[in-house]
Structure formats: C-alpha cells, structure tokens
Amino acid sequence: MIDNLEYNTEREHLIIPEYGRHLQKMINYAKTRETKEERNKVAKGIIAVMGNMQPHLRDVPDFQHKLWDQLFIMSNFELDADSPYEIPTREIYEERPDPLKYPQNFPKYRFYGNNIKTMIDVANTWEDGELKEALTYTIANHMKKCFLNWNKDTVEDYVIYNHLFELSDGKINLKDSEEDLTDATSLMRSKNKFSNNNSNNKKSHHKKNTNNRQRKRY
C-alpha cells in the first residue's frame, strides 16, 4: 500500500489552488468532451459549483464574470466552450503593466518635499506683481520651516534664498532682498505649540478611555 501513495508534489499543478483538486479535475473532464454542447453543459455545472464555494461573493458586481474568467484560466485557456462574457486570452493575463510614473524627487534638498517644488513651478507661471511676490515669500517661509523641521538649529535667510533660486531654475531670485523671513524661533514655537496641543489631546483621550473602563456596568 505504501508504494501506491500519491503525494501532492507528484500531482498536477493547481492553477488556482483555492478551488481544490476536484474542481480542477472537473475542468479537465470538460475539456475532453467531444461536442461543444456537452462542454457547455459541463462548464455551466462547474460555474454553479464554483459559485456555491464562494457564497459570500454572490452580491459582488460582475461575480459571474469573474467565475467564467477563472474557469478559462484554470483550463489553461484550452476549454472550447461558450461564455456569456468575452473569453479571456493568455496574452491579456501575461501582459505586463506599464511602469508607474513616480513623482520627481530632489535628493539634494529632500527635507523640502515635493510640494515645495510644485509651488515653485506654479509661482514661475504667474506674472510679476504683488501676488507673485507674496506667494514667493510664503514659499520661502515654508521652506525655512521645513528646513528647521529636519535641522533643529537655525538657518540664515540667504541659505533659503539660494535654495529657492536653484529649485526655480534661476527664475526666482531673492538674494538681494532686504525683507527678512519669519524668525526661526517663531517658526519653531508654532511647531512646538501644535505638537503640545496634539499631545494634550491624546492624553485627554486616554484619560477619558480609562475612566470609561473603570465605570461599573450594570
């Protein structure tokens, strides 16, 4: 009897293992039927069994479409039967997706983030005037704040102006500006205030949850 044992490693590969080996054998049987009428009849029976194996998906849109696609996939695209939907092909499932276009990164000034570059590009499209000047200084102040988030000391305004000039491809030049950016202490104070408020809210929420756990329930 030991000699007749059959191991899964010696059996046929299951294309979709979730359905089990018996369903795979049913599909292989359907492929051997001589007439298309027989194959169609067996295919519909197999679809009914597949639906019963996943009752929780019956309300999912295009559930039947998914079952028929899986039927042809498990047949290794060799089942010659009619389908109420477009029959999938091997080429469609073996086709590789197009590479994703990742956002442009600037490793040299990574601490500014990609949004700063987007804001600078928008500012470059504006006409010179008070609005563009206000936007430019807003961007510079935000760059200074981002710089301080990663460099916990201080930074001179000319450093921010040089970085802004470089990131804007030389289109925004504040190097000769006599206007000062927001003081680093003020930027850090507003950041710490925001952090403290979040910390206090978390403590209050934790204390409230603790009180709820201690309350006697009847």
Side-chain angles (χ1 to χ4, degrees), residues 20-200:
R21 191 166 300 278
H22 291 296
L23 192 69
Q24 184 68 55
K25 290 182 178 180
M26 293 170 64
I27 295 174
N28 294 341
Y29 171 79
K31 292 193 296 183
T32 63
R33 298 299 84 201
E34 297 181 357
T35 65
K36 198 167 190 178
E37 182 179 356
E38 287 183 282
R39 292 193 295 270
N40 289 339
K41 183 177 180 180
V42 176
K44 290 180 181 178
I46 294 173
I47 290 295
V49 175
M50 293 170 65
N52 290 333
M53 293 176 68
Q54 301 189 58
H56 59 287
L57 297 178
R58 287 183 179 273
D59 297 331
V60 176
D62 294 333
F63 175 55
Q64 286 288 323
H65 193 173
K66 179 180 179 181
L67 293 182
W68 280 97
D69 284 352
Q70 291 178 337
L71 172 64
F72 287 104
I73 292 172
M74 286 189 289
S75 72
N76 201 24
F77 304 97
E78 296 173 352
L79 177 61
D80 183 15
D82 296 327
S83 170
Y85 309 96
E86 183 179 357
I87 298 178
T89 61
R90 186 188 305 274
E91 291 73 22
I92 293 178
Y93 286 92
E94 291 182 351
E95 183 180 356
R96 291 180 176 272
D98 296 331
L100 291 175
K101 294 182 179 179
Y102 289 96
Q104 180 64 44
N105 291 318
F106 300 90
K108 188 176 181 181
Y109 305 121
R110 188 174 298 172
F111 44 83
Y112 288 133
N114 289 320
N115 289 335
I116 285 291
K117 179 59 178 174
T118 303
M119 295 167 66
I120 292 173
D121 292 339
V122 171
N124 284 335
T125 63
W126 287 19
E127 296 181 359
D128 293 338
E130 293 183 359
L131 287 177
K132 182 175 181 178
E133 183 179 357
L135 176 61
T136 300
Y137 279 100
T138 299
I139 294 173
N141 276 307
H142 191 61
M143 290 174 64
K144 187 173 183 178
K145 185 175 182 179
C146 292
F147 190 101
L148 293 171
N149 284 338
W150 291 96
N151 302 275
K152 304 296 184 180
D153 194 358
T154 185
V155 58
E156 299 294 337
D157 290 351
Y158 75 87
V159 176
I160 302 298
Y161 293 153
N162 288 336
H163 291 173
L164 179 58
F165 181 81
E166 184 177 347
L167 292 175
S168 65
D169 297 326
K171 296 179 181 179
I172 299 178
N173 188 359
L174 298 179
K175 294 181 180 180
D176 299 329
S177 174
E178 297 180 357
E179 184 173 343
D180 295 331
L181 297 178
T182 304
D183 184 71
T185 306
S186 300
L187 291 174
M188 295 302 292
R189 186 185 302 118
S190 62
K191 176 178 177 293
N192 292 334
K193 182 178 180 181
F194 178 76
S195 300
N196 291 335
N197 287 338
N198 284 342
S199 177
N200 291 334

Side-chain angles (χ1 to χ4, degrees), residues 204-215:
S204 177
H205 181 71
H206 177 72
K207 185 176 181 181
K208 183 177 179 180
N209 289 339
T210 303
N211 291 336
N212 288 338
R213 286 196 298 269
Q214 293 175 350
R215 185 182 304 165

